[in-house]
Amino acid sequence: MVISPNWALYKEDDLVKAMTVKQKILNEHFWEKIDYILFFTTPIYEVIRMADIDKPCLHLVYEWWEAMIEMVKAAIYMNECKALLEKNSFFDAVYCILLEQWAKSSTQFHCLAHSLNPRYYSSD
């Protein structure tokens, strides 16, 4: 759309804004950042999708949460070429956001459902 000759004629809002959007969309670094964002947010999206089913899954939320945090951490650290034991301010910020959301949505009912899962009490 932005490579169309008609894009330059776009003046409904602001020509400068239209040209800025065009430059951003055609910038390779912009798409690299988008790929990175999608890479580390995919595990978050997948947990949301797994929980949005018509089957009982409340007892699995804690496991999904832990796995999701590890996948997000691995994605961020891999992109920044850091060892998992190193300090990473970006991961710390993302983790704080995720933790705040967890605190808002995690209830005692979630904890009870997780702790009553029979697989923790039996080898079967």
Side-chain angles (χ1 to χ4, degrees):
M1 183 169 99
V2 296
I3 59 173
S4 167
N6 293 334
W7 184 260
L9 302 174
Y10 181 73
K11 296 181 182 181
E12 182 179 312
D13 189 24
D14 187 358
L15 184 60
V16 175
K17 288 181 185 177
M19 295 314 291
T20 302
V21 168
K22 180 178 179 177
Q23 289 173 350
K24 286 279 187 193
I25 289 175
L26 296 177
N27 185 332
E28 185 177 323
H29 297 294
F30 171 77
W31 291 108
E32 288 172 1
K33 290 178 183 178
I34 296 296
D35 283 341
Y36 176 49
I37 291 167
L38 290 174
F39 186 60
F40 81 82
T41 58
T42 297
I44 300 167
Y45 174 75
E46 288 174 356
V47 167
I48 293 169
R49 294 286 299 163
M50 286 189 301
D52 187 26
I53 60 173
D54 290 334
K55 297 179 183 177
C57 66
L58 190 58
H59 62 285
L60 300 172
V61 172
Y62 278 83
E63 291 178 33
W64 293 343
W65 167 261
E66 292 296 325
M68 184 244 338
I69 292 295
E70 290 304 314
M71 287 188 278
V72 169
K73 182 176 184 177
I76 290 172
Y77 276 72
M78 187 176 79
N79 184 274
E80 297 186 9
C81 300
K82 290 188 174 187
L84 290 175
L85 299 176
E86 288 183 62
K87 183 85 170 143
N88 187 310
S89 59
F90 180 64
F91 173 72
D92 291 343
V94 170
Y95 183 73
C96 284
I97 292 168
L98 292 172
L99 202 55
E100 285 177 21
Q101 285 303 119
W102 177 257
K104 287 179 187 176
S105 62
S106 178
T107 66
Q108 293 174 346
F109 186 61
H110 289 94
C111 183
L112 180 64
H114 179 71
S115 64
L116 293 178
N117 188 344
R119 107 169 144 189
Y120 299 119
Y121 302 105
S122 170
S123 61
D124 296 338

